Amino acid sequence: MSQQVWNASLYDQKHAFVFAYGEDLLGLLAAQPGERILDLGCGTGHLTAQLAQSGATVIGLDYSPQMIEVARQTYPQLEFVLGDASDFQLAEPFDAVFSNAALHWVTRAEDAARCIARALKPGGRFVAEFGGKGNVAHVSAAVSQAIREQTGQHLPHKWYFPAVGEYASVLEAAGFEVQFAHLFDRPTKLEGDDGMRNWLEMFAGSWLASLAEEIRQNVLQRAVELLRATQWQDGQWFADYRRLRVVAKKLRG
Ligand code: BEZ
């Protein structure tokens, strides 16, 4: 995953929609009592805890030490491990791997798919949702333009937003049968007048990390100004999210 440094309390206070939308995905997973489930990219552990209410044994894994620390403090009864989605191995196999709003940070998607397949029992399921092709297209175009204006340079983001066919191929190559894949728009309300600025501060940190502080501030201000035309509607900020939702089964043998 990227070198993003997370402010876990800001994440919980201002960006709770990340795990609120994930509750919907829990229905698709339909965790059963006694199952072993891995929550990949568990963040501060709120969905991990909801999953555990099903009676399944759930382990949360995240790349961010800040997130894992908060998850362990909030849910001391649950197990959380620090790890990289594209390079992990856990001792006992799982019935299911679940991942909400995390895999767009994982650019080594083939490695992640192999690790997920290895973590599953034969016939085990992988249920995930993350940013798909076209995700935050307006937001990233505005930030790119602001960077170009401020520095004269093209600085690409490093998020992974695959199309359905592209990601299905990644999963098939790793030994999965893809049973469901859906790319859909989910315009997402950002709280308050500073909602877009807060979103950029929270999520574009690693993208803008190489810029000097003054330039970074100018880029953020200009990006918000540019975005007002398309992403400020009826007194609310919206991020132009597009989600890719997948359900896949690990093939036997
Ligand atoms: C998303 O949830 O779509 C997202 C989060 C952080 C960066 C980019 C996209």
Side-chain angles (χ1 to χ4, degrees), residues 109-114 160 162 165-176:
E110 290 82 3
D111 291 340
R114 273 192 292 273
Y160 175 65
E166 188 183 346
Y167 198 58
S169 298
V170 168
L171 292 180
E172 283 165 4
F176 285 98

Side-chain angles (χ1 to χ4, degrees), residues 126-143:
F126 172 47
V127 176
E129 184 180 302
F130 60 104
K133 191 170 175 64
N135 192 43
V136 292
H138 281 109
V139 173
S140 24
V143 174

Side-chain angles (χ1 to χ4, degrees), residues 6 8 38 41 55 90 95 124 144 155 161 169 181 185 193 212 218 230 239 251:
W6 290 98
L38 175 65
L90 296 167
D95 296 288
S144 292
L155 185 62
F161 300 142
S169 298
D185 290 329
D193 289 356
N218 291 343
T230 56
L251 294 171

